[in-house]
Amino acid sequence: MNTLRLLKIAGLGVLAVVALLVLSVLASVVLSLLSAVVTIAVLAGLVYLAYKLYTMVSGDDEFEVESEVRNLEREFER
């Protein structure tokens, strides 16, 4: 009777260890994905700032870009 009780307790202990292992793997995956999202957001911000700096320095007019886009759209419609 005691042996069955000890086996049951040991089984529950193994189950608890496996559950903790699964939880730690899931937490690791979530943190990795969060890190990737933050990295992408930071890179996008840097690209945006670089673009803004480029347009300030080069003096390009945004209306010229829009008219070029319209011209390209007309060409694709033909």
Side-chain angles (χ1 to χ4, degrees):
M1 196 70 172
N2 285 337
T3 305
L4 186 60
R5 179 182 248 172
L6 288 175
L7 283 175
K8 188 175 182 180
I9 291 172
L12 290 176
V14 168
L15 185 64
V17 169
V18 170
L20 287 175
L21 180 66
V22 169
L23 285 177
S24 68
V25 168
L26 288 176
S28 176
V29 168
V30 167
L31 288 177
S32 296
L33 290 175
L34 182 63
S35 172
V37 168
V38 168
T39 302
I40 291 170
V42 167
L43 288 177
L46 289 175
V47 167
Y48 175 75
L49 289 177
Y51 170 74
K52 283 303 217 180
L53 180 63
Y54 172 75
T55 55
M56 285 173 35
V57 170
S58 68
D60 285 339
D61 192 8
E62 291 182 11
F63 295 112
E64 292 176 10
V65 174
E66 288 179 10
S67 64
E68 185 67 29
V69 168
R70 285 189 202 121
N71 290 340
L72 290 173
E73 286 176 349
R74 285 188 205 124
E75 288 294 326
F76 284 124
E77 287 176 359
R78 292 183 188 173

